[in-house]
Amino acid sequence: ENYDNLQAFAEDIDTYSKLLEDFNETVPNLVETVRSGGGSLDQKELCKAARPHPDGIQALFPSKQLSLTPAGYVEPLLTPMRHPTLCTKGFNVYNALRLDYLVHDFEQMCLNLKPHSKSIFIDMGASLKFHGQSGAKPPVLELMISFEK
């Protein structure tokens, strides 16, 4: 059963990751809009722009493997806390250090914003992912790009 769930999530996360590549380009700067009072829209309507799918993030995960936290939906909180291919395609450095298994509930993050909210960057550690790989970005830059909007 766990194996089947992991396989279903792996398919969902591949779809989600591909969609997310272009998604950030279409979302306005919601932090600034919330800080300035939201304009003519209430915050709930404004935050719908942060949905990667018109029916919300859950629509992208038919396997229903997302975990719900106070901050919104996140990837399943199961071992190995890495991309599912680490278990299914064998261990290698690429699979061990992939970040595209992380799920970001941008709509809920937007709903949690307050006019006084601040962006704080905390680097939680180092990664060897980008050493020796030509053109590879440090993982922290990948995350910053995801949250740029």
Side-chain angles (χ1 to χ4, degrees):
E1 179 181 350
N2 286 337
Y3 178 81
D4 292 339
N5 290 340
L6 189 63
Q7 292 301 307
F9 174 70
E11 290 177 23
D12 294 348
I13 200 66
D14 285 343
T15 302
Y16 171 78
S17 295
K18 289 174 185 149
L19 186 138
L20 209 59
E21 287 176 18
D22 297 325
F23 175 68
N24 284 350
E25 302 299 321
T26 63
V27 179
N29 187 332
L30 298 173
V31 174
E32 292 302 321
T33 306
V34 169
R35 282 185 187 150
S36 66
S40 62
L41 295 174
D42 71 345
Q43 191 164 342
K44 190 172 184 177
E45 285 300 312
L46 175 71
C47 292
K48 285 183 180 179
R51 287 180 174 179
H53 186 280
D55 296 327
I57 195 167
Q58 290 175 288
L60 297 170
F61 292 88
S63 69
K64 301 189 183 321
Q65 295 300 307
L66 295 180
S67 295
L68 181 59
T69 73
Y73 287 98
V74 297
E75 62 281 352
L77 301 178
L78 305 167
T79 53
M81 302 294 281
R82 297 280 185 248
H83 196 284
T85 57
L86 181 68
C87 298
T88 59
K89 301 217 176 179
F91 181 85
N92 65 46
V93 173
Y94 173 73
N95 288 334
L97 299 175
R98 288 177 72 171
L99 295 177
D100 58 345
Y101 76 97
L102 297 172
V103 174
H104 312 292
D105 191 344
F106 294 116
E107 180 180 14
Q108 186 60 48
M109 289 179 209
C110 175
L111 290 169
N112 291 341
L113 287 172
K114 307 289 182 244
H116 59 276
S117 292
K118 295 180 181 175
S119 298
I120 299 173
F121 173 71
I122 299 172
D123 186 351
M124 296 298 287
S127 171
L128 299 176
K129 177 180 177 185
F130 61 97
H131 289 286
Q133 294 182 16
S134 108
K137 294 178 190 159
V140 70
L141 289 180
E142 291 179 39
L143 290 172
M144 288 176 66
I145 290 167
S146 292
F147 288 94
E148 191 172 40
K149 299 266 181 188

